[in-house]
Amino acid sequence: AQSVSQHNHHVILSEAASLELGCNYSYGGTVNLFWYVQYPGQHLQLLLKYFSGDPLVKGIKGFEAEFIKSKFSFNLRKPSVQWSDTAEYFCAVKDQAGTALIFGKGTTLSVSS
Amino acid sequence: DSGVTQTPKHLITATGQRVTLRCSPRSGDLSVYWYQQSLDQGLQFLIHYYNGEERAKGNILERFSAQQFPDLHSELNLSSLELGDSALYFCASSVAGAYNEQFFGPGTRLTVL
């Protein structure tokens, strides 16, 4: 079965620090990859997605992710985090049927001002 | 606001009881997905409906069932509730097709005492 693993459970950064959250998926075929963010008390929102083409994907709020097929990875990056980036971040892959999202366990990011 | 609405926001009930969670998708979206988020299992796909028909099932217990009505709203029915069913239940919707973003609702927090 497909799976997604997120390496970091909780990341604590100071404002202006750079961020990289790891994500690895298990499926070796064509993949559709996503990063979602959940701000405290809010619903899941899509940060960015990769379906095909340029492996460097730019999303909202200055986030980007790089798809590296050989490493089965889709890491999320941001050059300079802000206090408002404090949230839980989920990496997800579409299942082989192209229906459901398979999520990682999530990474909680805490940014101190 | 994603445009997906869920009611109620919170639900507290006792073991053995039955509850119904409701989801209204974004205007024009034909697909509805249900996910369960718990501390130990993370975010897991439960079931997918498309235009009134069940299309895919994930890790959904036999005690749980869902349906999508002609007006496209969906209900998730949870019966014979157990303590372990306490979780956040999210509904998501998308337009037709496998390559479209899923928009998530705010969730219903179910507490089983």
Side-chain angles (χ1 to χ4, degrees):
Chain A
Q2 286 175 280
S3 64
V4 175
S5 64
Q6 293 183 240
H7 316 302
N8 316 98
H9 181 62
H10 193 180
V11 172
I12 301 171
L13 295 173
S14 300
E15 271 196 324
S18 64
L19 169 73
E20 181 159 3
L21 301 182
C23 171
N24 286 92
Y25 59 92
S26 63
Y27 179 58
T30 302
V31 287
N32 302 140
L33 295 156
F34 307 79
W35 274 98
Y36 278 84
V37 62
Q38 189 176 25
Y39 297 105
Q42 295 190 28
H43 60 277
L44 284 157
Q45 299 173 45
L46 183 69
L47 273 179
L48 47 81
K49 60 187 177 185
Y50 173 80
F51 287 157
S52 63
D54 189 342
L56 186 60
V57 181
K58 294 200 184 297
I60 61 171
K61 306 188 182 191
F63 287 91
E64 65 179 31
E66 186 174 12
F67 168 59
I68 304 179
K69 190 173 181 178
S70 60
K71 295 185 178 180
F72 297 87
S73 71
F74 190 56
N75 292 354
L76 181 71
R77 299 194 293 245
K78 186 171 184 179
S80 174
V81 295
Q82 301 172 312
W83 176 82
S84 57
D85 293 324
T86 295
E88 189 151 17
Y89 293 80
F90 294 92
C91 181
V93 63
K94 269 275 178 81
D95 67 4
Q96 291 178 46
T99 299
L101 290 171
I102 299 168
F103 285 90
K105 295 279 190 184
T107 297
T108 302
L109 172 65
S110 300
V111 180
S112 58
S113 55
Chain B
D1 186 356
S2 65
V4 179
T5 60
Q6 290 186 248
T7 56
K9 267 189 168 178
H10 302 278
L11 203 46
I12 301 173
T13 188
T15 54
Q17 295 300 303
R18 173 190 169 94
V19 296
T20 297
L21 314 183
R22 182 188 169 107
C23 167
S24 292
R26 292 188 322 152
S27 176
D29 285 357
L30 298 178
S31 276
V32 169
Y33 310 80
W34 285 96
Y35 292 86
Q36 179 195 59
Q37 185 180 31
S38 61
L39 280 174
D40 51 344
Q41 297 293 327
L43 260 167
Q44 288 200 95
F45 166 67
L46 295 178
I47 198 164
H48 168 219
Y49 274 83
Y50 173 76
N51 202 22
E53 290 186 9
E54 180 187 304
R55 285 297 180 92
K57 270 186 171 179
N59 296 321
I60 187 166
L61 300 171
E62 283 192 16
R63 300 182 285 108
F64 296 1
S65 65
Q67 52 186 325
Q68 186 179 26
F69 295 85
D71 66 353
L72 300 177
H73 91 270
S74 177
E75 292 181 358
L76 179 67
N77 301 294
L78 316 176
S79 61
S80 304
L81 285 168
E82 301 175 0
L83 296 177
D85 298 328
S86 296
L88 201 50
Y89 291 86
F90 286 106
C91 165
S93 74
S94 72
V95 298
Y99 298 100
N100 292 291
E101 175 186 349
Q102 292 182 20
F103 292 85
F104 282 78
T108 292
R109 183 168 294 282
L110 173 66
T111 303
V112 183
L113 302 175

